[in-house]
Amino acid sequence: MEKRLDAICVGAAIVDIPLQPVNRDMFEIESFPLQQISMTIGGDAINEATIMSRLGHKIGLMSMVGKDAVGNFIIEHCQKNGIDYSGVKMKDGIDTSINVGLVTADGERTFVTNRNGSLWKMTIDDVDVDRIGEARLLSFASIFNNPLLDCKAMVKIFKEAKKNNMIICADMIKARLGETLDDISEALGYVDYFFPNYDEACLMTGETELSKVADKFLATGLKTAVIKTGKKGCYIKCQDGTELEVPAMKGITAIDTIGAGDNFASGFITAILEGKSLKECAEFANVTASISVQSIGATTGVQRREQVDERLVEYYKQQQ
């Protein structure tokens, strides 16, 4: 049966308010002027859905928001960007999560979050598992980001995906509640492509050498570990022993790294959907991420497919 969607993204849909540039001196000043304060779409799942939709694919979003102004802002964003939001639940009595991103002059960031918001309240009951099979690919946008979507919940979602012959991708953030690799190992065994960044991967595995980090993940049954290495690009290792190091785009000055990992995953998944080779997937992902870090906000950089295709030409020239 032909699939209605190319991919479904499961996870967070929130609003980010990036504050840039910040530094420790701001606490010594009564009124600290910033270059920009803006409200942007955020949350791993909606970030991925947005970018993949702009890159030319039919994408569905499964998330939970509150019945409030911020929730309406998210729905309007989905409408504007052609995202199927029929899987987004709007709930009474829930505040849609807002993350305040503190961004330094060199593009590094941390978040101030609301522990009573939708991000922390979303459970497996908010995921329409019976509809997972409507797509060719499932992206569980960030393990640990929605703390109540634990290993048991992921296994339920992933089993449904595999029953429908879907490719499964997953990303992660640092564990919020002290979770360990053992806590997610069963779920990882269903995953085809996993996109942790280097720091997260080291914390989770207790290793620092890339090959050993990847081996810890692969021991769970994971098919392919794709470790994001920031300005270096990415490192890939597969169950069959295949290893690749794919360099990042050169000459990029980062303005804001918020959502860079989500853009990387979006580029990689887009390339998977288009049948590209493993190396080509990584190259497409690196280029997509390079565009995202040159704008403030997770979804403001990549606006159309042509941007990535044009920069990909430049990227290949750099490799010659």
Side-chain angles (χ1 to χ4, degrees):
M1 185 176 69
E2 189 171 343
K3 303 283 189 174
R4 187 175 69 86
L5 298 167
D6 292 320
I8 287 177
C9 300
V10 177
I14 64 172
V15 160
D16 285 335
I17 301 179
L19 306 181
Q20 186 193 34
V22 301
N23 57 57
R24 288 178 175 81
D25 294 339
M26 67 188 296
F27 296 100
E28 306 298 324
I29 301 171
E30 184 175 343
S31 178
F32 191 90
L34 296 176
Q35 293 176 0
Q36 183 173 355
I37 300 176
S38 57
M39 188 166 78
T40 65
I41 284 295
D44 41 48
I46 196 169
N47 288 345
E48 289 185 11
T50 300
I51 300 306
M52 285 190 278
S53 181
R54 290 175 182 169
L55 292 176
H57 290 277
K58 296 177 182 178
I59 309 298
L61 174 65
M62 287 191 176
S63 189
M64 186 269 280
V65 300
K67 286 187 177 179
D68 54 24
V70 181
N72 290 333
F73 179 77
I74 286 169
I75 295 300
E76 289 168 7
H77 172 88
C78 290
Q79 293 170 336
K80 180 180 177 181
N81 286 274
I83 299 166
D84 183 324
Y85 59 92
S86 57
V88 178
K89 288 194 176 180
M90 299 189 77
K91 296 179 74 169
D92 285 314
I94 296 287
D95 293 329
T96 306
S97 286
I98 299 173
N99 279 1
V100 178
L102 305 178
V103 187
T104 62
D106 61 359
E108 293 303 312
R109 81 281 191 266
T110 190
F111 290 105
V112 180
T113 66
N114 172 16
R115 289 196 66 162
N116 292 311
S118 55
L119 185 71
W120 291 79
K121 300 293 186 181
M122 183 178 175
T123 72
I124 188 63
D125 294 333
D126 300 309
V127 180
D128 194 345
V129 176
D130 291 338
R131 294 184 57 192
I132 290 289
E134 294 180 356
R136 295 162 50 201
L137 181 149
L138 169 72
S139 175
F140 193 90
S142 273
I143 295 171
F144 305 131
N145 203 8
N146 297 91
L148 298 183
L149 291 178
D150 57 10
C151 186
K152 183 178 178 181
M154 287 189 285
V155 168
K156 183 175 181 179
I157 292 167
F158 294 165
K159 280 185 175 179
E160 185 65 21
K162 285 304 179 187
K163 189 171 77 175
N164 286 277
N165 301 311
M166 297 172 72
I167 299 167
I168 299 177
C169 298
D171 203 336
M172 68 174 280
I173 64 167
K174 291 179 183 177
R176 292 186 185 274
L177 304 175
E179 299 96 337
T180 67
L181 180 57
D182 287 342
D183 292 323
I184 62 169
S185 61
E186 182 183 359
L188 280 182
Y190 291 91
V191 175
D192 297 294
Y193 299 91
F194 184 44
F195 307 119
N197 72 35
Y198 175 72
D199 291 338
E200 295 161 353
C202 291
L203 282 173
M204 186 56 47
T205 62
E207 301 286 352
T208 56
E209 185 182 325
L210 280 167
S211 182
K212 291 181 179 179
V213 171
D215 285 343
K216 281 285 186 75
F217 289 128
L218 294 172
T220 67
L222 169 72
K223 306 299 185 298
T224 304
V226 183
I227 301 172
K228 296 169 288 192
T229 52
K231 296 176 182 178
K232 294 181 180 179
C234 67
Y235 168 85
I236 301 172
K237 191 169 186 179
C238 308
Q239 279 287 352
D240 65 5
T242 298
E243 285 186 273
L244 291 173
E245 287 194 60
V246 183
M249 184 86 188
K250 298 175 185 176
I252 300 298
T253 300
I255 295 174
D256 179 11
T257 59
I258 290 175
D262 297 336
N263 277 262
F264 176 95
S266 300
F268 204 103
I269 293 168
T270 294
I272 291 171
L273 291 169
E274 294 173 6
K276 297 184 186 297
S277 70
L278 192 61
K279 184 171 182 287
E280 289 171 331
C281 287
E283 292 166 342
F284 197 89
N286 283 341
V287 168
T288 304
S290 78
I291 296 170
S292 76
V293 299
Q294 294 184 303
S295 299
I296 294 175
T299 61
T300 50
V302 177
Q303 293 291 325
R304 60 191 186 280
R305 177 63 181 254
E306 290 76 16
Q307 287 173 276
V308 181
D309 289 339
E310 289 168 7
R311 182 162 290 187
L312 197 59
V313 173
E314 296 177 35
Y315 175 86
Y316 285 129
K317 287 180 180 177
Q318 290 182 352
Q319 307 309 311
Q320 291 175 356

